[in-house]
Amino acid sequence: MEPEVVEAEMVLPTHMWFKKMQTYDKYPKGQARVRWKQLKQIIPAENYQNYPHEEPNYVNIETPPSMHPCRRICDITGYEAPYVDPRTKLRYANAEVFKMIRSLPNDYVQRYLALRNAAVVLR
Amino acid sequence: MPFISKIQRQSDYRSFPPNHPIVIDNGGSYFRIGWAGESEPRVIFRNIIQRPRHKITGETITVVGDHDPALLKYFDCTRSGPRSAFDSNVVYQFEIMEYILDFGLDRLGADQSQINHPVLITECLCNPVQSRSKMAELLFETYGVPSVAFGVDAAFSYKYNQQLGICSGDGLAICTGFNTSHVIPFLNGEPVYEACCRTNVGGYHITDYLKQLLSLKYPHHMSHLTWEKVEDLKMEHCYIAKDYASEVHLFQKGDKEAEEKTRSWQLPWTPTPVEEAPSEEEVARKAALKEKQGQRLREMAEAKRFNRINDLENEIRDLEMLLQRLRNASEHDILSILAKTVHTSQQEVESALLKATQSLRKAKGEPVENVEKLDPSSVDRYNLISIPDEMLTPEQIKQKRKQVFIKSTSEARQQKKQKQLEEEMERERQKKLEEERRLENPEQYLEELRAKHRDLSEKVEQRKRFKTNGGQTNGNDNGSGGVGRGERLNSSQRERMRLLTTAAFDRGKEEDTFGAKDEDWQLYKLMSRDNDDDDDDKPDPDEAELARVSSRLQEIDPTFFKPEVGSSSAEAPRFRPLTKEDFQIILGVERFRCPEILFNPNLIGIDQAGMDEMVGVSLRRLPPKGRGVEDRMTESILLTGGSCLFPGMRERLEGGIRMIRPSGTPIKIVRSSDPILDAWRGASAYASAMQFPQQTFTKMDYYEKGEDWLRSYRPRYTI
């Protein structure tokens, strides 16, 4: 290891004196990695349906959808967008932007759509 | 504002007694750890780890937090980006969490065999019990912590500000963190969990949105748009518009105010060296060099010509001598003489001589007499044509055919020449006529010519469009030849498709008669791909006329400029040298478009209400109903969390809340004293209170009372 790296102490030591159990014992090398449950898997396992629904939990404190009409802005410029291109499904503000989106390559169109979670996802 | 990290190793760990609590604010973006009762956390670092491989030794190492990027050059980070223990605002990856705790405790100076201090650690609101129990387990089993307490960061922040007198016991905490935003109502200084609400939008989303937008806008500068840099840009330049629509309208009009609000970031740019015009002597030197080369080539050609002339002269001499000898020789000798040469007859020798003489003349540069014209035997050459076939021998018939062919081709050539000559004359005549007309009335002539040019160019344009779009001019002439997604086919392509489909699906009931007629097979020709643009090779008379007119216009009209042909205008920028402006990243609408997602999560496809509406949702969920309570709530709204630092946040929120509340509602929104560190400070004050130990639980409690108890574990914040 290079001296400046050692001096900066940026590398976490593998052995910690203050620990009762070292990481390398807990997650030995070469063994199958622990698959940590993602939030998507944690929530069903919490069995919230078994508890009274007025009891607050991680799911029911979520904010409901907005009551206001959805604000539509131009995907490219951010201006107010009265139009939608039927081909790319992008929202656009004026003819200039329209010209531009028609010349956009498909992957850019998809990336713009992905920004507002509207991209076509192929599985 | 760069990332603020404090990772100096502390040396006074041993000076704290064993029951002195350690306080950890485990936030989505930063991890802060320190001692209870102190006003500042001891150690602060980004709550991420990286596990790159050392480039030389190949061992995988763990780097916690952010470090000098220059030191990372020794490591191969291509396969491991920064990773976080969080999924949304819930800790789920406890291996990462362990590395982070290791680092934090190590930097706090821990050096005994276990952590002999109670720990207060923050967690998200309504943390799933799975995550909570894993965290407790980690602290008890791995670190040997005697007792643990969990609390919500926003609540600590509110309590801290309540103690400072910034907000009162009844009120709302609006906390916009890194991954999520919360609104938490407080009654008598205690959070009302059932009235809380959470929207899954936070600072992370804003930075990500900005990063995506900029990298889509400036694909060439992607390498400059790192997460850290974009985060800096966000903190420095983003603000919240009081009214998005009117603000964006300002930019759409593009007046001065918008210009003032636009920021630009100049990327490092070195101007390309301007090519100096070559000096005079350089030009002269080059010309001389060229001249010299030309001279040499000329000399070589001359020598070659000289050699050829010599050769030809020798050949002629030989042939003449041979001919002489042949003439003088007897019939018998001729054969023996010819046997020594390559020739077989006297005629052949004569023709070879003629050929050589002609080549010699050509080589010497003398005018070559036209063989055809000079040939006196032209009648003679075609002597067999007029004789009917019956009177000829087969040999002669063959010759006759040859003669017929030669005659017809030469005649055709003559005719063509004649025609060209006539055309030339006609053109000349027309030109003269036009010139006369021009001289007669130059103005009118020019006008006419222009009109003609306009008409013609329109016609040609239209035809081009028709060809690409099959008659439907939808104004989408993007010039891409390929048939891409949703691209309309042109008429011939459509016809081809129709033929293909009918051919593929034609299963008629009647007898298959395909191929009975020869025309049937024409179908394949129409289907083939080569059929697409078969009328392209024919020159278009309109186009030719257009070219003529425009060249004429160019001659006589100084104001006329030839429109660029086809894609040359698109290619032009490629040859343009890159300027300073090409290395600027302009932040215009993005400055307020990105933070706008806090108020309109719909913009990034999250179907939840924004911050202003969240307040309404929370008040609706509040169990004690009535204007009195709600008014008390809105009178003490505290803004906390890193994302509430945007300028304009308070004003926008006030406007938004005023809209959803009845008129006359008292609204008071205050920003917390330090939105970023208040949560830790509140927790620190909380942990140093006398009653703090009653809020903690030990390892024994944990294993005795079980998971269900842990699920309903809730500390009291007022102690």
Side-chain angles (χ1 to χ4, degrees):
Chain A
M1 219 56 77
E2 289 71 13
E4 60 253 56
V5 176
V6 174
E7 202 204 345
E9 287 190 278
M10 62 187 282
V11 176
L12 192 74
T14 46
H15 185 89
M16 292 286 185
W17 288 109
F18 54 83
K19 280 171 82 172
K20 279 167 76 181
M21 194 181 189
Q22 299 298 330
T23 320
Y24 50 80
D25 291 332
K26 222 168 174 182
Y27 310 106
K29 246 188 189 168
Q31 258 187 34
R33 278 276 181 80
V34 185
R35 299 283 300 177
W36 297 102
K37 274 190 192 168
Q38 302 243 324
L39 189 56
K40 221 167 42 187
Q41 299 155 300
I42 292 174
I43 287 170
E46 292 283 298
N47 292 320
Y48 288 135
Q49 70 277 6
N50 297 349
Y51 299 98
H53 67 92
E54 66 271 8
E55 200 182 289
N57 60 43
Y58 190 79
V59 177
N60 67 14
I61 61 165
E62 280 207 59
T63 318
S66 171
M67 312 283 266
H68 296 309
C70 173
R71 185 185 288 283
R72 291 177 201 284
I73 65 165
C74 174
D75 283 308
I76 319 291
T77 58
Y79 301 154
E80 300 266 318
Y83 318 110
V84 177
D85 175 20
R87 189 193 291 175
T88 59
K89 306 282 185 289
L90 283 173
R91 293 172 185 157
Y92 64 95
N94 50 39
E96 230 167 277
V97 182
F98 180 66
K99 224 179 256 171
M100 193 213 141
I101 60 174
R102 276 295 165 96
S103 64
L104 272 181
N106 192 24
D107 58 327
Y108 273 67
V109 170
Q110 291 306 316
R111 279 172 64 192
Y112 271 116
L113 287 173
L115 278 186
R116 57 178 164 92
N117 212 3
V120 181
V121 182
L122 296 174
R123 281 182 217 279
Chain B
M1 196 166 71
F3 286 100
I4 21 113
S5 286
K6 241 166 59 176
I7 50 170
Q8 241 70 62
R9 180 173 278 113
Q10 306 297 308
S11 52
D12 54 351
Y13 183 85
R14 279 168 191 268
S15 66
F16 289 92
N19 55 2
H20 197 114
I22 291 175
V23 176
I24 298 171
D25 180 8
N26 189 18
S29 59
Y30 278 97
F31 183 93
R32 305 171 189 93
I33 185 168
W35 295 104
E38 293 190 349
S39 62
E40 292 289 324
R42 292 294 185 94
V43 179
I44 305 176
F45 56 90
R46 269 180 86 196
N47 212 340
I48 50 166
I49 72 156
Q50 255 177 308
R51 302 207 63 200
R53 229 173 242 273
H54 193 265
K55 269 182 185 162
I56 300 161
T57 59
E59 68 182 301
T60 306
I61 55 128
T62 310
V63 177
V64 178
D66 46 346
H67 285 268
D68 186 2
L71 287 179
L72 278 178
K73 70 180 177 208
Y74 299 113
F75 301 99
D76 172 22
C77 302
T78 46
R79 284 179 58 193
S80 66
R83 280 181 284 168
S84 156
F86 287 82
D87 186 2
S88 189
N89 58 347
V90 176
V91 180
Y92 82 106
Q93 234 286 20
F94 284 89
E95 194 180 340
I96 295 177
M97 195 67 241
E98 191 173 326
Y99 289 124
I100 286 165
L101 283 168
D102 277 356
F103 184 75
L105 289 166
D106 180 44
R107 290 298 151 111
L108 194 65
D111 56 356
Q112 280 138 357
S113 63
Q114 61 185 43
I115 306 295
N116 232 333
H117 302 271
V119 167
L120 170 60
I121 186 166
T122 61
E123 59 170 17
C124 71
L125 191 65
C126 298
N127 196 12
V129 71
Q130 203 255 9
S131 171
R132 188 181 281 172
S133 63
K134 282 256 165 38
M135 181 69 90
E137 226 164 89
L138 178 67
L139 290 170
F140 289 135
E141 301 292 344
T142 307
Y143 298 98
V145 171
S147 62
V148 170
F150 292 106
V152 176
D153 48 354
F156 287 131
S157 179
Y158 189 88
K159 293 304 289 181
Y160 182 71
N161 282 284
Q162 189 192 342
Q163 277 159 18
L164 291 181
I166 292 173
C167 51
S168 50
D170 294 352
L172 290 167
I174 299 181
C175 174
T176 58
F178 188 62
N179 291 305
T180 52
S181 301
H182 284 99
V183 170
I184 306 173
F186 283 82
L187 274 176
N188 306 318
E190 281 296 309
V192 187
Y193 284 81
E194 31 299 284
C196 296
C197 64
R198 181 188 76 237
T199 293
N200 297 320
V201 173
Y204 166 82
H205 300 90
I206 299 172
T207 308
D208 191 49
Y209 195 40
L210 184 60
K211 185 166 179 280
Q212 297 286 346
L213 281 176
L214 288 180
S215 56
L216 280 163
K217 200 167 156 191
Y218 302 100
H220 312 296
H221 302 313
M222 212 94 118
S223 55
H224 289 280
L225 296 165
T226 57
W227 177 270
E228 285 75 16
K229 186 66 213 177
V230 177
E231 183 103 3
D232 283 356
L233 286 179
K234 172 186 90 169
M235 289 194 271
E236 204 175 324
H237 299 296
C238 281
Y239 66 96
I240 286 173
K242 197 152 186 212
D243 176 26
Y244 187 83
S246 57
E247 189 82 7
V248 88
H249 194 66
L250 215 72
F251 277 83
Q252 211 163 356
K253 276 193 303 187
D255 58 6
K256 213 170 154 222
E257 205 176 334
E259 223 165 88
E260 276 166 15
K261 285 189 175 181
T262 303
R263 299 278 180 276
S264 83
W265 169 32
Q266 180 68 55
L267 296 175
W269 169 75
T270 43
T272 44
V274 183
E275 264 181 45
E276 280 176 39
S279 64
E280 224 161 89
E281 54 201 88
E282 183 82 347
V283 171
R285 205 171 61 81
K286 271 191 180 154
L289 204 72
K290 213 170 172 186
E291 179 60 34
K292 219 164 146 190
Q293 276 171 343
Q295 188 65 36
R296 222 181 64 204
L297 282 174
R298 269 197 296 278
E299 269 164 20
M300 271 163 71
E302 187 59 37
K304 217 171 164 186
R305 200 171 73 100
F306 185 73
N307 278 348
R308 188 164 158 70
I309 288 172
N310 244 4
D311 286 354
L312 283 168
E313 272 170 0
N314 285 345
E315 197 184 338
I316 288 169
R317 214 170 29 243
D318 287 353
L319 283 168
E320 269 168 356
M321 266 161 67
L322 182 65
L323 219 52
Q324 205 68 30
R325 277 172 65 196
L326 284 173
R327 281 196 192 118
N328 297 341
S330 63
E331 192 77 10
H332 175 73
D333 287 338
I334 287 177
L335 283 175
S336 65
I337 293 169
L338 281 175
K340 284 181 214 152
T341 66
V342 289
H343 306 288
T344 49
S345 69
Q346 197 172 345
Q347 280 93 343
E348 216 189 295
V349 177
E350 272 166 11
S351 70
L353 181 61
L354 191 68
K355 227 173 168 180
T357 343
Q358 271 178 11
S359 327
L360 183 62
R361 271 205 202 118
K362 211 171 169 184
K364 278 183 175 167
E366 290 163 16
V368 186
E369 301 109 65
N370 199 331
V371 192
E372 269 172 272
K373 273 181 192 164
L374 263 190
D375 212 345
S377 58
S378 91
V379 189
D380 195 74
R381 281 172 68 207
Y382 305 133
N383 52 0
L384 292 172
I385 291 178
S386 45
I387 303 167
D389 278 3
E390 296 87 61
M391 296 171 70
L392 297 168
T393 60
E395 186 69 17
Q396 279 174 320
I397 286 178
K398 221 185 233 170
Q399 279 225 314
K400 185 187 166 183
R401 272 198 207 133
K402 216 174 176 181
Q403 283 178 4
V404 169
F405 174 71
I406 292 171
K407 196 180 173 195
S408 61
T409 45
S410 69
E411 270 170 8
R413 220 176 290 144
Q414 291 274 328
Q415 267 175 16
K416 204 174 167 192
K417 235 181 218 165
Q418 189 68 25
K419 210 172 153 192
Q420 270 178 353
L421 212 68
E422 271 167 28
E423 264 175 30
E424 188 89 353
M425 269 160 69
E426 172 70 18
R427 225 175 290 150
E428 207 55 36
R429 204 172 57 78
Q430 277 206 346
K431 222 177 184 175
K432 221 187 232 165
L433 220 72
E434 257 180 52
E435 192 61 28
E436 269 168 30
R437 265 198 318 144
R438 188 176 83 88
L439 289 176
E440 219 170 83
N441 189 351
E443 300 283 300
Q444 195 196 341
Y445 175 75
L446 205 61
E447 204 48 51
E448 272 171 25
L449 208 60
R450 274 190 199 134
K452 198 170 175 188
H453 179 261
R454 213 160 33 237
D455 284 356
L456 276 171
S457 55
E458 221 159 81
K459 219 164 158 185
V460 169
E461 250 335 82
Q462 200 171 359
R463 180 169 317 182
K464 232 183 247 167
R465 255 203 311 262
F466 191 78
K467 215 184 250 172
T468 49
N469 274 335
Q472 285 152 1
T473 48
N474 64 350
N476 173 37
D477 192 16
N478 57 9
S480 64
V483 181
R485 152 189 49 83
E487 204 80 51
R488 281 184 194 150
L489 302 171
N490 72 32
S491 50
S492 61
Q493 283 169 326
R494 264 208 306 268
E495 178 61 14
R496 179 169 168 261
M497 278 298 156
R498 196 188 61 75
L499 286 172
L500 282 173
T501 41
T502 47
F505 295 107
D506 187 19
R507 299 265 185 274
K509 286 200 182 75
E510 63 260 44
E511 203 189 334
D512 189 7
T513 57
F514 186 84
K517 284 175 287 171
D518 271 350
E519 293 94 84
D520 288 352
W521 303 105
Q522 291 290 317
L523 195 62
Y524 285 107
K525 239 187 215 168
L526 290 174
M527 273 186 205
S528 80
R529 206 167 252 295
D530 315 327
N531 188 40
D532 272 2
D533 299 305
D534 53 350
D535 53 345
D536 261 4
D537 39 1
K538 277 185 258 163
D540 188 352
D542 279 342
E543 263 174 61
E545 182 69 4
L546 179 67
R548 197 184 68 78
V549 170
S550 49
S551 72
R552 178 95 182 117
L553 265 173
Q554 234 167 1
E555 264 172 47
I556 57 172
D557 185 1
T559 61
F560 177 80
F561 93 102
K562 208 174 166 194
E564 295 296 313
V565 187
S567 58
S568 63
S569 60
E571 272 167 28
R574 205 184 303 159
F575 303 112
R576 184 172 60 92
L578 291 174
T579 61
K580 199 175 164 190
E581 281 70 36
D582 291 326
F583 283 85
Q584 271 172 3
I585 288 191
I586 310 287
L587 288 170
V589 178
E590 289 85 358
R591 285 185 67 199
F592 57 92
R593 177 182 177 179
C594 297
E596 183 67 20
I597 63 173
L598 292 175
F599 291 89
N600 284 298
N602 263 316
L603 297 185
I604 53 165
I606 293 175
D607 196 19
Q608 286 187 303
M611 296 225 309
D612 42 1
E613 272 188 274
M614 282 166 75
V615 171
V617 172
S618 237
L619 291 178
R620 267 203 309 281
R621 286 179 178 175
L622 212 57
K625 303 284 178 200
R627 272 295 288 279
V629 181
E630 286 171 15
D631 281 358
R632 270 212 311 286
M633 289 277 164
T634 52
E635 229 173 343
S636 157
I637 298 177
L638 181 82
L639 274 174
T640 181
S643 301
C644 78
L645 288 170
F646 292 112
M649 180 69 142
R650 216 178 55 79
E651 292 78 8
R652 171 67 183 271
L653 207 52
E654 187 170 340
I657 295 171
R658 207 168 281 286
M659 284 225 280
I660 53 172
R661 296 300 302 157
S663 68
T665 305
I667 294 173
K668 189 176 154 222
I669 301 175
V670 286
R671 206 162 81 180
S672 78
S673 63
D674 182 346
I676 291 171
L677 281 178
D678 273 359
W680 187 88
R681 288 187 187 133
S684 157
Y686 179 77
S688 61
M690 285 289 283
Q691 272 75 36
F692 173 70
Q694 276 103 62
Q695 305 301 324
T696 61
F697 60 94
T698 61
K699 186 175 167 184
M700 244 184 24
D701 291 335
Y702 173 66
Y703 284 112
E704 266 174 21
K705 293 175 179 167
E707 202 165 72
D708 211 41
W709 170 84
L710 190 66
R711 200 178 60 79
S712 54
Y713 165 84
R714 250 184 231 175
R716 276 190 56 82
Y717 289 92
T718 317
I719 50 175

